[in-house]
Amino acid sequence: WGSLGHETVAYIASHYVETATKNWAQDILDDTSKDYLANVATWADSYRYTSAGKFSAPYHFIDAQDDPPNSCNVDYDRDCTGGKCVVAAIANYTTRVQSNSLSDTQVNYALRFIVHFLGDITQPLHDESYDLGGNDIDVTFNGDDTNLHASWDTSIPEQLIGGYSLSDAQDWANDLIKEIDSGSYESQKASWVSGLDINDAKDSAMAWATDANAFVCSVVAPNGWDGLENAELYPDYYNGVVDTVSLQIAKGGYRLAKWLDAIAAQAA
Ligand code: DCM
Ligand code: DCM
Ligand code: DCM
Ligand code: ZN
Ligand code: ZN
């Protein structure tokens, strides 16, 4: 996701976390503002372009070598090349954020990575290898040249919300919180966090990757990839996928709250 998606995930999580979790996270991040998670939600996307953070670039996705739209699936041994993928990263940083021996900076970075990667793993094209997760599929969105991956990351969310500022993210989060509490997501939110286990983070993250990857077959490219090449995505394609984008952002935020609650409780 782009900044709007990641910051919305963060605001949703901030709404649902326990007070003890908020205190734990604000202490690690050294930020007592209400925006303490949103303020670090896109840090990993800047860090990966620095020489110190270059190692983390493959941690934003898992390249599922499946065969959409005929067959969607994720296999850790097949797809997490060299142990460098978002599933391994979530497991790594879930351990590191609880460390008593790492520096404050490394623990702070671990929490920033968790906030970011629990967002990215819900973007279906971050759980797909085809054409570099859709980066090599050129499209136009409302007349602008872009690609399928970037459309999912940014164009579609920004078309829906009409901007990408922190206050746009807070507004989108508020809408999705209503859907989670008493709207279209109320009956499914329990399934989003079922089996969540910070002490088996790899299994939990594999379940999330598998869940998002299934949308590659059902929503991202249900009729295959050929028709998407050089296609205009607005409004027809957009209308067919935008509800899935909202669902995945809501899911990421709700999961992040429960994940952080579990870590903070174990740390206490
Ligand atoms: N990006 C964004 N908003 C835009 C255009 C680009 O947030 N309007 C950027 C932020 C990240 C990238 O998109 O650099 C998405 O990266 P990722 O999916 O790894 O989070
Ligand atoms: N690093 C990480 N996860 C690990 C090991 C290292 O994120 N399991 C990061 C921390 C540093 C960088 O890689 O930013 C280099 O670490 P080191 O100096 O321990 O090799
Ligand atoms: N990406 C992905 N799968 C890949 C390669 C990249 O999901 N196999 C993501 C990471 C960024 C976006 O695509 O969100 C653009 O990546 P880059 O800036 O590395 O081109
Ligand atoms: Zn992306
Ligand atoms: Zn990312």
Side-chain angles (χ1 to χ4, degrees), residues 3 7 9 48 87 91 98 107 115 143 150 157 169 210 240 248 251 257-258:
S3 51
E7 288 162 1
V9 165
R48 72 191 163 108
V87 170
Q98 301 177 73
V107 171
V115 171
T210 300
Q248 293 304 91
K251 213 183 253 183
K258 304 299 172 188

Side-chain angles (χ1 to χ4, degrees), residues 1 48-49 60-61 63 125-126 128-129 132-133 135 149 153:
W1 306 113
R48 72 191 163 108
Y49 293 114
H60 293 248
F61 54 84
D63 269 343
L125 287 166
H126 278 241
E128 174 54 44
S129 70
L132 292 178
N135 276 290
H149 185 101
D153 273 352

Side-chain angles (χ1 to χ4, degrees), residues 2-5 7 154 157-158 161-169:
S3 51
L4 176 64
E7 288 162 1
T154 58
E158 290 173 15
I161 300 306
Y164 53 89
S165 68
L166 268 185
S167 79
D168 290 316

Side-chain angles (χ1 to χ4, degrees), residues 130-203:
Y130 187 81
D131 268 358
L132 292 178
N135 276 290
D136 285 348
I137 301 175
D138 290 336
V139 302
T140 58
F141 194 94
N142 226 345
D144 290 335
D145 288 334
T146 180
N147 66 65
L148 186 66
H149 185 101
S151 297
W152 274 77
D153 273 352
T154 58
S155 310
I156 295 168
E158 290 173 15
Q159 178 70 39
L160 177 66
I161 300 306
Y164 53 89
S165 68
L166 268 185
S167 79
D168 290 316
Q170 180 66 259
D171 289 348
W172 193 13
N174 292 343
D175 290 346
L176 295 175
I177 287 163
K178 279 188 210 137
E179 297 297 332
I180 294 168
D181 285 342
S182 56
S184 51
Y185 304 144
E186 185 184 0
S187 64
Q188 34 170 319
K189 66 187 174 204
S191 72
W192 298 349
V193 294
S194 77
L196 178 151
D197 182 358
I198 58 164
N199 297 313
D200 198 347
K202 181 181 148 188
D203 262 30

